[in-house]
Amino acid sequence: MRYPEYVAKIIERLESLGFEAYIVGGSVRDMVIGKDPNDFDVTTSALPEQTLAAFSDYRTIPTGLKHGTVTVLSDGNPIEITTFRIDGEYLDSRRPESVEFTDDITADLSRRDFTVNAMAYNHARGFIDPFGGKRDIANRLIRAVGEPHRRFGEDALRIMRAFRFSAQLGFEIDADTLAAAGELTPKLANIARERIGVEFIKLICSARPEYPIELMRELGLFEYVTNGYVPSAETVRALSAPPAVERVRLGIFMSECDSERAGEILHGLRVSNKLLSNTKNIAKNCAARLSGTETDARRFIGSCGELTEDVLAAARALGRLDAEFESYVRENLAKKVCTDSKGLAINGSHLIKLGIKGRDVGEILARLLEHVLEYPEDNDTEKLTALAKNLSEKM
Ligand code: ATP
Ligand code: MG
């Protein structure tokens, strides 16, 4: 196993000063699996001040000195270096009150959540794997480090993380770990909503969300995630088909509840306002089968706007996209025809100049749009002016 040179430099510097230093956590897990890690975290016996001193010729950022973390910029790559630590007392199943530093790598690994995340490695010393992380990777298992009941009791977010890693890695959850997760589910009520939201969104944007979602449904976990809402198994099966774009995956997930409830649930997950409104739009537009005439296709583009491709992807995943309708949508997108009032060759001030007043302006614009959706070739200022005059005479 080889990590990049910019990581090796950091580890070798610390080791040459008499400290121990390893890559740890997700980066070791991903390398064992054969995936490229997102980032490399380093763990060391050096105290934070000693780490800062060791890299005085590097750019360093004292990211979380209290928790023992220093970030070092190595050839432009930020690397978090954290001192070996043992977590202090946990209150209310949340983050520990205090941390204690140690010079024992095994003690540091023992505070970590799952065996697959509790390995350390460096080129000189090889693997430190006291809990059988490699074996569990080979068996494709998520297993708590130590006694699962105690570990979920300390920090209930780990329950969500178990399902999230199961989804991302396509691993099963070990039976004892799963049983403990089920028993301690109510402890999720103590966890900050946004942390639950982050884990859940990572879960549904993963390669294999179906199995963990099914388990979560059986354990009643959705009560603490989505106020109890879960779509049908058929909709859950559609989740992994489209690209892992948050609004698309969430849109599919929310497609079986009405807009108001969807808004409440998404707010409960603490997503941004933009993600909330995009998700609601996608959910609403992919809820029923997409089919119809060319005119319907233009109306559909008008109502989806910049979310058109996302709605198509969601509807396709759900098996609700009629092939002919899709080709109508694509032809009209390619021709860039008018699909909403902004695209009309005439606007409100044109109408006012023609002497049209008050509520009639909006009414006539709406009728012109209906006309143009049916006859795109009529989207021409002269033609629409004549039509507007005609309509206003009849009003
Ligand atoms: P990702 O690829 O999603 O970043 P990761 O394994 O790096 O996965 P992080 O949330 O970044 O996950 O956490 C880094 C490491 O810290 C984990 O691998 C694990 O060892 C440890 N860890 C993180 N959160 C917890 C927790 N709640 N309880 C115990 N250990 C944790
Ligand atoms: Mg990480």
Side-chain angles (χ1 to χ4, degrees):
M1 237 178 56
R2 303 298 305 174
Y3 39 74
E5 189 46 39
Y6 70 84
V7 177
K9 272 164 54 174
I10 300 292
I11 289 181
E12 278 154 27
R13 166 82 59 101
L14 286 164
E15 292 259 341
S16 74
L17 293 169
F19 302 112
E20 283 177 56
Y22 306 89
I23 60 166
V24 72
S27 48
V28 183
R29 177 196 69 220
D30 289 347
M31 288 179 77
V32 171
I33 290 171
K35 277 202 315 196
D36 264 342
N38 301 329
D39 48 25
F40 288 89
D41 292 331
V42 168
T43 185
T44 183
S45 57
L47 294 169
E49 307 77 58
Q50 294 173 315
T51 302
L52 283 173
F55 295 100
S56 57
D57 54 337
Y58 281 62
R59 233 192 93 197
T60 55
I61 307 147
T63 320
L65 280 189
K66 216 177 80 193
H67 293 99
T69 304
V70 170
T71 301
V72 174
L73 224 59
S74 180
D75 302 334
N77 305 286
I79 298 188
E80 284 196 355
I81 306 179
T82 304
T83 304
F84 297 165
R85 56 173 232 226
I86 314 169
D87 291 339
E89 283 291 296
Y90 283 84
L91 295 179
D92 299 336
S93 312
R94 279 187 288 217
R95 285 175 170 168
E97 284 295 284
S98 59
V99 301
E100 194 184 309
F101 298 136
T102 163
D103 57 5
D104 176 7
I105 176 65
T106 301
D108 177 277
L109 295 174
S110 70
R111 72 168 167 92
R112 294 175 184 270
D113 47 9
F114 304 108
T115 61
V116 297
N117 288 344
M119 294 182 280
Y121 173 85
N122 75 24
H123 290 158
R125 299 172 202 256
F127 279 96
I128 315 287
D129 180 16
F131 306 106
K134 274 191 178 177
R135 181 196 59 214
D136 285 340
I137 287 176
N139 294 326
R140 305 180 66 80
L141 273 182
I142 302 297
R143 181 201 308 274
V145 169
E147 215 279 293
H149 206 275
R150 189 170 70 80
R151 304 310 310 286
F152 289 141
E154 287 170 353
D155 177 3
L157 187 71
R158 291 173 187 154
I159 298 173
M160 289 300 297
R161 288 172 60 86
F163 294 101
R164 187 260 280 197
F165 285 116
S166 163
Q168 288 181 326
L169 304 173
F171 287 12
E172 280 191 30
I173 299 175
D174 162 74
D176 291 344
T177 298
L178 184 61
E183 285 161 31
L184 291 168
T185 288
K187 295 252 179 203
L188 274 171
N190 298 327
I191 300 295
R193 304 288 311 176
E194 75 269 15
R195 300 180 73 207
I196 294 179
V198 165
E199 294 296 333
F200 181 64
I201 290 171
K202 284 187 180 174
L203 189 161
I204 65 169
C205 287
S206 71
R208 313 272 281 274
E210 297 87 351
Y211 161 79
I213 287 177
E214 198 42 50
L215 292 176
M216 287 168 69
R217 182 207 305 276
E218 285 167 19
L219 296 179
L221 225 123
F222 281 103
E223 199 180 315
Y224 304 93
V225 182
T226 56
N227 302 330
Y229 166 79
V230 211
S232 65
E234 200 187 343
T235 293
V236 169
R237 264 197 302 281
L239 279 173
S240 55
V245 175
E246 292 179 356
R247 60 181 179 275
V248 175
R249 299 273 179 112
L250 274 172
I252 293 175
F253 190 86
M254 300 309 300
S255 65
E256 288 179 20
C257 70
D258 67 46
S259 219
E260 193 184 333
R261 176 127 198 256
E264 284 164 15
I265 293 169
L266 293 163
H267 176 73
L269 294 169
R270 300 289 185 268
V271 304
S272 70
N273 289 337
K274 173 134 200 190
L275 181 54
L276 186 145
S277 78
N278 284 343
T279 298
K280 273 170 55 173
N281 266 326
I282 294 170
K284 184 181 73 191
N285 282 296
C286 72
R289 185 167 181 77
L290 298 183
S291 64
T293 63
E294 290 200 52
T295 303
D296 295 329
R298 288 187 281 272
R299 190 174 287 114
F300 167 79
I301 297 169
S303 96
C304 297
E306 57 184 20
L307 295 173
T308 300
E309 288 292 349
D310 293 329
V311 174
L312 290 177
R316 185 181 308 111
L318 287 160
R320 289 190 194 134
L321 179 58
D322 183 79
E324 191 183 43
F325 186 76
E326 180 178 9
S327 63
Y328 291 154
V329 171
R330 300 223 170 274
E331 282 159 26
N332 281 287
L333 283 173
K335 285 190 273 183
K336 296 196 164 65
V337 296
C338 164
T339 55
D340 59 26
S341 56
K342 285 196 282 303
L344 284 175
I346 199 168
N347 60 28
S349 46
H350 280 109
L351 298 186
I352 291 166
K353 278 188 205 139
L354 295 175
I356 298 168
K357 292 199 188 70
R359 292 228 307 241
D360 289 355
V361 174
E363 177 63 27
I364 290 178
L365 276 179
R367 295 220 205 154
L368 294 178
L369 177 61
E370 273 310 305
H371 179 87
V372 167
L373 287 174
E374 195 154 352
Y375 307 102
E377 64 281 7
D378 284 359
N379 192 24
D380 164 292
T381 311
E382 232 171 88
K383 280 186 189 165
L384 294 185
T385 304
L387 205 60
K389 281 184 185 157
N390 207 321
L391 285 167
S392 93
E393 276 160 21
K394 287 189 208 144
M395 288 186 114

